Amino acid sequence: MPELPEVETTLRGIEPLLCSHTVAGVILRTEKLRWPLDRNLETRLTGARLKSVRRRAKYLLFDFGRGTLLLHLGMSGSLRVVDPQIPAGKHDHVDLIFRDAGTLRLTDPRKFGGLLWVDGAPELHALLHNLGPEPLAKEFDAEHLYRCSSRRRIAVKSFIMDQKVVVGVGNIYASEALFRALIRPDIPAGGLSLERCRRLVREIKTVLSEAIAAGGTTLQDFQQVDGRPGYFKQNLLVYGREGQPCPSCGKQIRNLRIGQRSTFFCRSCQH
DNA sequence: CAAAGGTCCTGCTCGC
DNA sequence: TGCGAGCAGGACCTTT
């Protein structure tokens, strides 16, 4: 599910509801997600006040002062703030119950998401310290992309999904950004000119910003913190549109497998 | 049976 | 020949 816009949407939903509130209890309903769940989470969190929530790449970082809770939503995870009286469903794996506020409930059918307690500075954690720049930051620019792509033979689509190059671009927005930038997804990254890098950077920033404004994209599982879906799906130009006419030239949108992932593009517009 | 929004790990290949 | 970076494929899991 979640690429950067969905995680950002989740962050913006949670923050005003839970920040500065104190954890009253924790319920774990599964042994493990991506990693085994910390059985001491209840002890670590009960009585702790949520100082801030922020996002780095597709991770959410809950700062409790005494430590940080690191959360990744994987492919099918989502977070809601609910009334704790609402009974948990089959795939509701974790509840963080806040005093005088809602309960943060993690749902994740495929269990590819992960929850990790980090004692020290979270940015030093192995999961975070080798990540590329944030796509919406000014450090992510044409020169950066051009430098990284030099001599790389990997398909440009897999390249922009590499979190060491730039974070947050997943399978949906990679296809969308390449379509907007008129770049074929299967050409080697190393063949891009600086000018084409400039266009690609611009389109990545644009499509991610637009998707955030729409509350993300819901294909199946994703929901915003209040339970509404993301509304960007209707704005997807190529993703999931195999066989439909290209919005630009009218020729059929193609589906190609790159790196085991479905990739949508227009043969006649993208080169 | 195939595929679905992600990412880590393994083992192979290619170029110095 | 050997090394290391880069790359492809598999694994994780449940549902449709």
Side-chain angles (χ1 to χ4, degrees):
Chain A
M1 170 225 31
E3 302 183 35
L4 183 141
E6 292 71 39
V7 181
E8 181 67 24
T9 295
T10 300
L11 168 68
R12 293 180 187 186
I14 287 171
E15 218 223 45
L17 298 177
L18 300 181
C19 254
S20 84
H21 286 276
T22 299
V23 176
V26 177
I27 300 173
L28 305 178
R29 301 188 187 84
T30 185
E31 288 290 309
K32 69 184 281 284
L33 295 171
R34 183 176 232 287
W35 311 291
L37 288 180
D38 182 350
R39 304 319 290 183
N40 296 322
L41 213 52
E42 166 119 54
T43 317
R44 312 191 112 122
L45 284 174
T46 302
R49 181 172 164 275
L50 180 60
K51 291 174 68 182
S52 69
V53 194
R54 60 194 202 282
R55 179 188 61 71
R56 171 68 176 117
K58 298 171 191 166
Y59 293 90
L60 287 174
L61 286 69
F62 296 79
D63 179 1
F64 285 100
R66 56 174 84 162
T68 302
L69 193 61
L70 210 71
L71 175 78
H72 197 291
L73 294 170
M75 290 276 262
S76 58
S78 59
L79 286 172
R80 292 190 63 182
V81 174
V82 299
D83 182 320
Q85 304 303 316
I86 297 174
K90 187 174 173 188
H91 304 297
D92 294 341
H93 305 304
V94 180
D95 279 2
L96 295 195
I97 304 160
F98 284 82
R99 189 187 303 155
D100 304 322
T103 284
L104 185 67
R105 181 164 285 174
L106 171 64
T107 307
D108 186 359
R110 295 180 71 181
K111 295 174 143 184
F112 286 175
L115 195 56
L116 215 55
W117 179 258
V118 179
D119 274 316
E123 51 276 7
L124 302 180
H125 194 278
L127 290 169
L128 300 184
H129 84 179
N130 261 342
L131 295 171
E134 287 289 327
L136 300 177
K138 63 178 185 316
E139 299 80 66
F140 178 57
D141 59 14
E143 286 71 22
H144 169 79
L145 201 67
Y146 186 62
R147 239 181 292 119
C148 289
S149 63
S150 162
R151 282 171 271 115
R152 298 288 302 270
R153 285 171 307 190
I154 192 173
V156 60
K157 188 214 178 201
S158 304
F159 173 71
I160 59 172
M161 290 173 67
D162 178 348
Q163 306 295 298
K164 291 189 277 303
V165 172
V166 57
V167 302
V169 180
N171 202 41
I172 296 179
Y173 301 112
S175 279
E176 293 296 306
L178 288 163
F179 174 75
R180 291 169 178 234
L182 309 176
I183 296 169
R184 262 186 79 111
D186 56 346
I187 62 171
L192 292 178
S193 66
L194 180 59
E195 274 325 294
R196 302 193 92 199
C197 286
R198 201 171 303 286
R199 217 160 64 204
L200 183 51
V201 164
R202 191 181 67 223
E203 298 305 333
I204 288 172
K205 288 176 188 280
T206 308
V207 74
L208 293 179
S209 303
E210 290 176 10
I212 290 169
T217 297
T218 297
L219 296 180
Q220 309 272 333
D221 302 303
F222 178 68
Q223 40 186 341
Q224 301 188 52
V225 169
D226 57 12
R228 288 147 64 225
Y231 299 107
F232 196 69
K233 186 176 178 185
Q234 60 207 74
N235 300 312
L236 298 176
L237 300 176
V238 289
Y239 187 88
R241 297 191 184 277
E242 181 180 9
Q244 297 178 31
C246 166
S248 172
C249 76
K251 301 238 170 55
Q252 282 200 350
I253 300 296
R254 304 283 168 167
N255 182 349
L256 186 66
R257 267 189 110 68
I258 297 177
Q260 326 263 71
R261 316 297 298 276
S262 277
T263 306
F264 300 87
F265 75 110
C266 173
R267 262 192 208 160
S268 105
C269 295
Q270 297 171 255
H271 299 284

Short mmCIF file of all heavy atoms in Angstrom, two decimals, chain A residues 102-141:
data_model
loop_
_atom_site.label_atom_id
_atom_site.label_comp_id
_atom_site.label_asym_id
_atom_site.label_seq_id
_atom_site.Cartn_x
_atom_site.Cartn_y
_atom_site.Cartn_z
N GLY A 102 -7.92 9.16 21.38
CA GLY A 102 -8.34 7.92 20.75
C GLY A 102 -7.30 6.82 20.90
O GLY A 102 -6.26 6.99 21.53
N THR A 103 -7.63 5.68 20.33
CA THR A 103 -6.71 4.55 20.29
C THR A 103 -6.15 4.43 18.89
O THR A 103 -6.90 4.44 17.92
CB THR A 103 -7.46 3.27 20.70
OG1 THR A 103 -7.65 3.28 22.11
CG2 THR A 103 -6.68 2.02 20.31
N LEU A 104 -4.83 4.33 18.82
CA LEU A 104 -4.17 4.16 17.52
C LEU A 104 -4.16 2.68 17.19
O LEU A 104 -3.58 1.87 17.91
CB LEU A 104 -2.74 4.70 17.58
CG LEU A 104 -1.97 4.69 16.26
CD1 LEU A 104 -2.58 5.67 15.27
CD2 LEU A 104 -0.49 5.01 16.50
N ARG A 105 -4.83 2.31 16.11
CA ARG A 105 -5.00 0.89 15.77
C ARG A 105 -4.31 0.58 14.45
O ARG A 105 -4.61 1.18 13.42
CB ARG A 105 -6.50 0.58 15.72
CG ARG A 105 -6.82 -0.87 15.39
CD ARG A 105 -8.27 -1.20 15.74
NE ARG A 105 -8.46 -1.34 17.18
CZ ARG A 105 -9.66 -1.51 17.75
NH1 ARG A 105 -10.76 -1.55 17.02
NH2 ARG A 105 -9.76 -1.65 19.07
N LEU A 106 -3.39 -0.38 14.50
CA LEU A 106 -2.64 -0.80 13.30
C LEU A 106 -3.30 -2.02 12.68
O LEU A 106 -3.46 -3.05 13.32
CB LEU A 106 -1.20 -1.13 13.68
CG LEU A 106 -0.35 -1.79 12.59
CD1 LEU A 106 -0.14 -0.86 11.40
CD2 LEU A 106 1.01 -2.23 13.14
N THR A 107 -3.67 -1.88 11.42
CA THR A 107 -4.27 -2.97 10.65
C THR A 107 -3.30 -3.34 9.54
O THR A 107 -2.74 -2.45 8.90
CB THR A 107 -5.59 -2.48 10.00
OG1 THR A 107 -6.42 -1.93 11.01
CG2 THR A 107 -6.31 -3.61 9.29
N ASP A 108 -3.09 -4.63 9.32
CA ASP A 108 -2.15 -5.02 8.26
C ASP A 108 -2.35 -6.48 7.84
O ASP A 108 -1.70 -7.38 8.36
CB ASP A 108 -0.70 -4.81 8.74
CG ASP A 108 0.31 -5.05 7.63
OD1 ASP A 108 -0.10 -5.39 6.49
OD2 ASP A 108 1.52 -4.91 7.89
N PRO A 109 -3.24 -6.72 6.86
CA PRO A 109 -3.54 -8.09 6.44
C PRO A 109 -2.29 -8.90 6.06
O PRO A 109 -2.17 -10.05 6.44
CB PRO A 109 -4.45 -7.90 5.21
CG PRO A 109 -5.04 -6.55 5.39
CD PRO A 109 -4.04 -5.72 6.13
N ARG A 110 -1.38 -8.31 5.31
CA ARG A 110 -0.24 -9.11 4.84
C ARG A 110 0.90 -9.19 5.83
O ARG A 110 1.84 -9.93 5.62
CB ARG A 110 0.24 -8.56 3.50
CG ARG A 110 -0.82 -8.72 2.42
CD ARG A 110 -0.36 -8.20 1.09
NE ARG A 110 0.65 -9.04 0.49
CZ ARG A 110 1.23 -8.79 -0.68
NH1 ARG A 110 0.89 -7.71 -1.34
NH2 ARG A 110 2.13 -9.60 -1.16
N LYS A 111 0.86 -8.40 6.86
CA LYS A 111 1.89 -8.42 7.91
C LYS A 111 3.30 -8.16 7.38
O LYS A 111 4.27 -8.74 7.87
CB LYS A 111 1.86 -9.76 8.65
CG LYS A 111 0.58 -10.01 9.43
CD LYS A 111 0.62 -11.42 9.99
CE LYS A 111 -0.01 -11.50 11.37
NZ LYS A 111 0.13 -12.86 11.94
N PHE A 112 3.40 -7.33 6.36
CA PHE A 112 4.73 -6.92 5.89
C PHE A 112 5.20 -5.66 6.62
O PHE A 112 6.32 -5.23 6.44
CB PHE A 112 4.71 -6.63 4.39
CG PHE A 112 4.64 -7.85 3.52
CD1 PHE A 112 4.52 -7.72 2.14
CD2 PHE A 112 4.70 -9.12 4.06
CE1 PHE A 112 4.45 -8.83 1.31
CE2 PHE A 112 4.63 -10.24 3.24
CZ PHE A 112 4.50 -10.10 1.87
N GLY A 113 4.31 -5.08 7.37
CA GLY A 113 4.68 -3.89 8.14
C GLY A 113 5.53 -4.27 9.33
O GLY A 113 5.71 -5.44 9.64
N GLY A 114 6.06 -3.27 10.01
CA GLY A 114 6.92 -3.56 11.16
C GLY A 114 6.83 -2.48 12.21
O GLY A 114 6.50 -1.33 11.92
N LEU A 115 7.10 -2.90 13.45
CA LEU A 115 7.02 -2.02 14.61
C LEU A 115 8.26 -2.29 15.44
O LEU A 115 8.52 -3.43 15.79
CB LEU A 115 5.76 -2.37 15.39
CG LEU A 115 5.22 -1.42 16.43
CD1 LEU A 115 4.96 -0.07 15.83
CD2 LEU A 115 3.95 -2.00 17.02
N LEU A 116 9.01 -1.24 15.74
CA LEU A 116 10.30 -1.43 16.38
C LEU A 116 10.53 -0.35 17.42
O LEU A 116 10.29 0.83 17.16
CB LEU A 116 11.39 -1.33 15.31
CG LEU A 116 12.62 -2.20 15.41
CD1 LEU A 116 12.25 -3.66 15.52
CD2 LEU A 116 13.50 -1.95 14.18
N TRP A 117 10.98 -0.76 18.61
CA TRP A 117 11.33 0.20 19.64
C TRP A 117 12.81 0.53 19.51
O TRP A 117 13.64 -0.38 19.42
CB TRP A 117 11.04 -0.36 21.04
CG TRP A 117 11.42 0.58 22.13
CD1 TRP A 117 12.52 0.54 22.90
CD2 TRP A 117 10.67 1.73 22.54
NE1 TRP A 117 12.52 1.58 23.80
CE2 TRP A 117 11.39 2.33 23.59
CE3 TRP A 117 9.47 2.32 22.11
CZ2 TRP A 117 10.95 3.49 24.23
CZ3 TRP A 117 9.04 3.46 22.76
CH2 TRP A 117 9.77 4.04 23.81
N VAL A 118 13.14 1.82 19.46
CA VAL A 118 14.53 2.24 19.33
C VAL A 118 14.90 3.10 20.53
O VAL A 118 14.22 4.08 20.82
CB VAL A 118 14.74 3.05 18.03
CG1 VAL A 118 16.19 3.49 17.91
CG2 VAL A 118 14.34 2.22 16.81
N ASP A 119 15.98 2.73 21.22
CA ASP A 119 16.37 3.44 22.43
C ASP A 119 17.05 4.78 22.15
O ASP A 119 16.66 5.80 22.67
CB ASP A 119 17.29 2.56 23.29
CG ASP A 119 16.46 1.64 24.19
OD1 ASP A 119 15.49 2.13 24.78
OD2 ASP A 119 16.78 0.44 24.27
N GLY A 120 18.09 4.75 21.31
CA GLY A 120 18.87 5.97 21.10
C GLY A 120 18.29 6.85 20.00
O GLY A 120 17.08 6.86 19.76
N ALA A 121 19.16 7.59 19.35
CA ALA A 121 18.76 8.47 18.26
C ALA A 121 18.31 7.61 17.06
O ALA A 121 19.11 6.85 16.54
CB ALA A 121 19.91 9.38 17.86
N PRO A 122 17.05 7.74 16.64
CA PRO A 122 16.52 6.86 15.61
C PRO A 122 17.21 7.02 14.25
O PRO A 122 17.31 6.07 13.49
CB PRO A 122 15.05 7.24 15.52
CG PRO A 122 14.95 8.60 16.14
CD PRO A 122 16.04 8.68 17.14
N GLU A 123 17.71 8.23 13.98
CA GLU A 123 18.34 8.44 12.66
C GLU A 123 19.64 7.63 12.51
O GLU A 123 20.11 7.43 11.40
CB GLU A 123 18.57 9.93 12.39
CG GLU A 123 19.28 10.71 13.47
CD GLU A 123 18.33 11.19 14.57
OE1 GLU A 123 17.15 10.81 14.57
OE2 GLU A 123 18.79 11.95 15.43
N LEU A 124 20.17 7.15 13.65
CA LEU A 124 21.37 6.33 13.58
C LEU A 124 21.04 4.86 13.35
O LEU A 124 21.93 4.05 13.11
CB LEU A 124 22.19 6.46 14.88
CG LEU A 124 22.63 7.88 15.23
CD1 LEU A 124 23.42 7.89 16.54
CD2 LEU A 124 23.46 8.47 14.09
N HIS A 125 19.76 4.52 13.47
CA HIS A 125 19.36 3.12 13.30
C HIS A 125 19.67 2.64 11.88
O HIS A 125 19.55 3.39 10.91
CB HIS A 125 17.87 2.98 13.58
CG HIS A 125 17.44 1.56 13.77
ND1 HIS A 125 17.17 0.73 12.70
CD2 HIS A 125 17.28 0.81 14.88
CE1 HIS A 125 16.84 -0.48 13.17
NE2 HIS A 125 16.90 -0.44 14.48
N ALA A 126 20.06 1.36 11.79
CA ALA A 126 20.46 0.79 10.50
C ALA A 126 19.38 0.98 9.42
O ALA A 126 19.70 1.17 8.25
CB ALA A 126 20.77 -0.70 10.68
N LEU A 127 18.12 0.92 9.83
CA LEU A 127 17.05 1.04 8.85
C LEU A 127 16.98 2.44 8.25
O LEU A 127 16.46 2.63 7.15
CB LEU A 127 15.70 0.72 9.50
CG LEU A 127 15.47 -0.74 9.88
CD1 LEU A 127 14.22 -0.86 10.74
CD2 LEU A 127 15.35 -1.60 8.63
N LEU A 128 17.47 3.43 8.98
CA LEU A 128 17.31 4.82 8.54
C LEU A 128 18.59 5.47 8.02
O LEU A 128 18.53 6.46 7.30
CB LEU A 128 16.76 5.68 9.69
CG LEU A 128 15.40 5.27 10.27
CD1 LEU A 128 14.95 6.27 11.31
CD2 LEU A 128 14.34 5.15 9.17
N HIS A 129 19.74 4.90 8.37
CA HIS A 129 20.94 5.71 8.14
C HIS A 129 21.48 5.66 6.71
O HIS A 129 22.32 6.49 6.36
CB HIS A 129 22.00 5.45 9.21
CG HIS A 129 22.86 4.26 8.96
ND1 HIS A 129 23.88 3.91 9.80
CD2 HIS A 129 22.87 3.36 7.96
CE1 HIS A 129 24.46 2.83 9.33
NE2 HIS A 129 23.86 2.48 8.22
N ASN A 130 21.00 4.73 5.89
CA ASN A 130 21.50 4.70 4.51
C ASN A 130 20.48 5.17 3.47
O ASN A 130 20.61 4.87 2.29
CB ASN A 130 21.96 3.29 4.14
CG ASN A 130 23.46 3.18 4.26
OD1 ASN A 130 24.16 4.19 4.28
ND2 ASN A 130 23.96 1.95 4.33
N LEU A 131 19.49 5.89 3.93
CA LEU A 131 18.43 6.31 3.02
C LEU A 131 18.84 7.53 2.21
O LEU A 131 19.59 8.38 2.67
CB LEU A 131 17.16 6.63 3.81
CG LEU A 131 16.52 5.45 4.53
CD1 LEU A 131 15.40 5.93 5.44
CD2 LEU A 131 15.99 4.44 3.53
N GLY A 132 18.31 7.62 1.01
CA GLY A 132 18.54 8.78 0.15
C GLY A 132 17.74 9.98 0.65
O GLY A 132 17.06 9.92 1.67
N PRO A 133 17.81 11.08 -0.09
CA PRO A 133 17.09 12.29 0.30
C PRO A 133 15.58 12.15 0.19
O PRO A 133 15.08 11.30 -0.55
CB PRO A 133 17.60 13.33 -0.70
CG PRO A 133 18.06 12.56 -1.87
CD PRO A 133 18.58 11.25 -1.33
N GLU A 134 14.89 12.99 0.92
CA GLU A 134 13.44 13.09 0.79
C GLU A 134 13.13 13.69 -0.59
O GLU A 134 13.77 14.68 -1.00
CB GLU A 134 12.87 14.01 1.88
CG GLU A 134 12.88 13.40 3.27
CD GLU A 134 11.84 12.28 3.41
OE1 GLU A 134 10.78 12.37 2.77
OE2 GLU A 134 12.11 11.33 4.15
N PRO A 135 12.16 13.14 -1.29
CA PRO A 135 11.88 13.60 -2.65
C PRO A 135 11.41 15.05 -2.72
O PRO A 135 11.60 15.71 -3.73
CB PRO A 135 10.78 12.66 -3.13
CG PRO A 135 10.17 12.11 -1.89
CD PRO A 135 11.26 12.05 -0.88
N LEU A 136 10.79 15.54 -1.66
CA LEU A 136 10.27 16.90 -1.70
C LEU A 136 11.26 17.92 -1.14
O LEU A 136 10.97 19.12 -1.09
CB LEU A 136 8.93 16.98 -0.95
CG LEU A 136 7.84 16.07 -1.55
CD1 LEU A 136 6.56 16.14 -0.74
CD2 LEU A 136 7.58 16.44 -3.01
N ALA A 137 12.43 17.43 -0.71
CA ALA A 137 13.45 18.34 -0.20
C ALA A 137 14.27 18.89 -1.36
O ALA A 137 14.37 18.27 -2.42
CB ALA A 137 14.36 17.61 0.79
N LYS A 138 14.89 20.05 -1.14
CA LYS A 138 15.65 20.66 -2.23
C LYS A 138 16.92 19.88 -2.57
O LYS A 138 17.44 19.98 -3.67
CB LYS A 138 15.95 22.13 -1.92
CG LYS A 138 16.82 22.36 -0.70
CD LYS A 138 17.11 23.86 -0.54
CE LYS A 138 18.07 24.16 0.60
NZ LYS A 138 17.83 23.42 1.83
N GLU A 139 17.39 19.04 -1.62
CA GLU A 139 18.59 18.23 -1.90
C GLU A 139 18.31 17.19 -2.99
O GLU A 139 19.23 16.65 -3.59
CB GLU A 139 19.08 17.47 -0.66
CG GLU A 139 19.49 18.35 0.51
CD GLU A 139 18.29 18.83 1.31
OE1 GLU A 139 17.61 17.99 1.93
OE2 GLU A 139 18.03 20.05 1.30
N PHE A 140 17.05 16.85 -3.19
CA PHE A 140 16.72 15.96 -4.28
C PHE A 140 16.54 16.81 -5.54
O PHE A 140 15.49 17.42 -5.75
CB PHE A 140 15.46 15.16 -3.98
CG PHE A 140 15.05 14.26 -5.12
CD1 PHE A 140 15.92 13.31 -5.62
CD2 PHE A 140 13.80 14.38 -5.71
CE1 PHE A 140 15.55 12.48 -6.68
CE2 PHE A 140 13.41 13.56 -6.77
CZ PHE A 140 14.30 12.61 -7.26
N ASP A 141 17.59 16.86 -6.34
CA ASP A 141 17.54 17.67 -7.55
C ASP A 141 18.16 16.91 -8.74
O ASP A 141 18.60 15.77 -8.58
CB ASP A 141 18.25 19.02 -7.33
CG ASP A 141 19.71 18.85 -6.95
OD1 ASP A 141 20.27 17.74 -7.10
OD2 ASP A 141 20.32 19.84 -6.49
#
